[in-house]
Each structure stands twice: as C-alpha cells, then as structure tokens.
Amino acid sequence: MRMDMRNFLELKGNLIYLKKLDKEYLEQYWENLSNCSIEATVFTGTQQVFSKSDIERYLEDISEDRSRIDFLIFSKESNEIVGEVVINDIFRNNRGANIRIIINRKEDFSKGYGSEAMILALNYGFGMLNLHRIELEVFPFNQRAIHVYEKIGFIREGIRRDGCFFNNKYYDMIIMSILEEEFREKYNYNKDLLKEFNN
C-alpha cells in the first residue's frame, strides 16, 4: 500500500499556514462553511447549499481524486480555518491546472490571508506538481480580487462571455493565468516568497 505524502502537507507563511483538506477536519470545515459571509458567496458565485452529509461525501471523493489538491487556510494567530485554496483540474499532459480561493468571513478580508495562500499554493503547484500554467476565473465586479491577482503576477487573457449564471443573471468571467517562468522571475523558489510579494 502506497502512502500519499500529500496527507502530511503543511505550507507555512507569515500570517497563515496551509494544510491538506482531509476527513479529520470535517467538523471545523463544516462549521466554517456554515458561517460563510454573503460577500464570500457572491464573489465566488457559490450556488449550492450543502448539508453536513454532502460535505462528508465530498471529503471522501476528493481524498481519491489525483486531479486536485485542496488546502485549508489557517490563521497563525488563531489557528482557526479562514478559508481554502484549491488547485484543481490538473492536466498532467499539458502541465496545466486551475486555482480557486475563498476567504469565508468578511472580517477576515483584507488581512493578507488570501495573498499569502495563493503564493504558497502557486509555489507548490509550479514546484512540487511541476505545472507550467495555472489559471483562474474571476467576476469583473470583484475588483479587490483582480487587484490582488495582478499584484501576484496573473495576466488577464480575455473574457468568457456569460460564463456564469448566478442569482438569475448571466455574468462574464475574466480569465487570468500565470506561467511557471513568470512566477520564478517574480519570486524565485529559493527566496523568501512573501518578502518578494510585499516589496
């Protein structure tokens, strides 16, 4: 039986640390999702309402899914979950993937948690997963997130017109991406990643 070393992952930043989402965090994860701010729901276009049993099944499913890795974001100050960052749709042949992030409570916005989590996850994606391209989609009205993504190094590529149907309305989605050489040039794997971002 081969042990999945991803289960023991912990990536440390200055403000937060990331741990692989696993069944052991069911109670904390469920409680955190249950207290998600309406702003977080709107910015991510979340449309489903989940029960605890739905979450249990979800955790079981992702534990066997080799096309993704889900990280919980913990505040170093409180040691509580503040959100999650996920690298998914990993396509090994193209060395590409998608990334998404959510900070669940409005009171945790604008604290730098999301920026650190994205940089740590990207470093893992380009370094350990050997990815070449990581992309994301964002609503045009989520200007705060767009600003952060651009500061991190994501480039706008285009618009997916009427790409999301949310709250009885179609919305365009901005497609952004970052390539491994762009990330290396900006951060350099062996340097202090977060110091590079804050300069």
Side-chain angles (χ1 to χ4, degrees):
M1 179 177 167
R2 185 179 175 187
M3 185 177 294
D4 187 350
M5 294 307 293
R6 298 183 308 165
N7 291 332
F8 302 97
L9 272 177
E10 182 172 323
L11 309 178
K12 296 180 181 178
N14 296 325
L15 301 171
I16 56 98
Y17 57 94
L18 306 182
K19 296 194 81 168
K20 184 178 178 290
L21 175 56
D22 195 70
K23 289 174 282 189
E24 68 179 288
Y25 298 112
L26 171 62
E27 295 299 331
Q28 290 170 273
Y29 186 58
W30 166 245
E31 182 181 348
N32 200 259
L33 286 179
S34 301
N35 294 314
C36 201
S37 299
I38 186 65
E39 290 85 357
T41 301
V42 170
F43 286 143
T44 57
T46 302
Q47 302 186 53
Q48 297 116 313
V49 177
F50 299 103
S51 68
K52 191 173 182 180
S53 59
D54 290 333
I55 298 300
E56 286 184 276
R57 283 192 296 272
Y58 170 72
L59 295 182
E60 189 67 42
D61 290 344
I62 66 172
S63 69
E64 303 297 326
D65 190 343
R66 305 297 295 178
S67 70
R68 63 186 295 144
I69 184 159
D70 297 59
F71 289 107
L72 291 172
I73 307 169
F74 288 84
S75 163
K76 273 190 165 182
E77 183 178 10
S78 67
N79 287 317
E80 292 183 353
I81 297 170
V82 296
E84 62 185 287
V85 58
V86 179
I87 300 174
N88 59 1
D89 297 332
I90 298 171
F91 190 22
R92 304 286 181 181
N93 289 349
N94 286 344
R95 294 175 59 212
N98 179 75
I99 193 167
R100 64 174 177 81
I101 187 168
I102 182 171
I103 302 297
N104 288 321
R105 294 184 295 268
K106 186 178 180 180
E107 54 265 36
D108 290 323
F109 290 1
S110 303
K111 291 185 175 180
Y113 295 159
S115 302
E116 279 200 8
M118 285 289 284
I119 292 168
L120 290 171
L122 288 169
N123 190 54
Y124 183 84
F126 289 125
M128 297 303 294
L129 299 180
N130 192 34
L131 296 173
H132 172 68
R133 167 192 164 90
I134 299 178
E135 67 180 33
L136 58 80
E137 294 182 344
V138 59
F139 287 117
F141 58 75
N142 194 352
Q143 289 298 314
R144 182 177 56 85
I146 292 169
H147 172 74
V148 170
Y149 298 150
E150 289 180 331
K151 187 176 179 184
I152 288 171
F154 281 86
I155 305 297
R156 297 191 199 205
E157 293 188 336
I159 300 289
R160 192 154 65 92
R161 297 180 302 155
D162 285 357
C164 183
F165 187 72
F166 176 68
N167 200 22
N168 297 312
K169 183 179 177 181
Y170 281 101
Y171 290 91
D172 293 343
M173 301 298 291
I174 297 174
I175 302 167
M176 306 179 76
S177 73
I178 186 169
L179 306 179
E180 60 178 323
E181 60 267 24
E182 295 166 342
F183 187 80
R184 283 199 185 101
E185 183 178 344
K186 190 172 177 70
Y187 298 102
N188 191 341
Y189 291 131
N190 297 319
K191 286 186 177 182
D192 183 335
L193 297 172
L194 304 174
K195 184 183 290 185
E196 287 288 301
F197 175 76
N198 291 323
N199 285 342

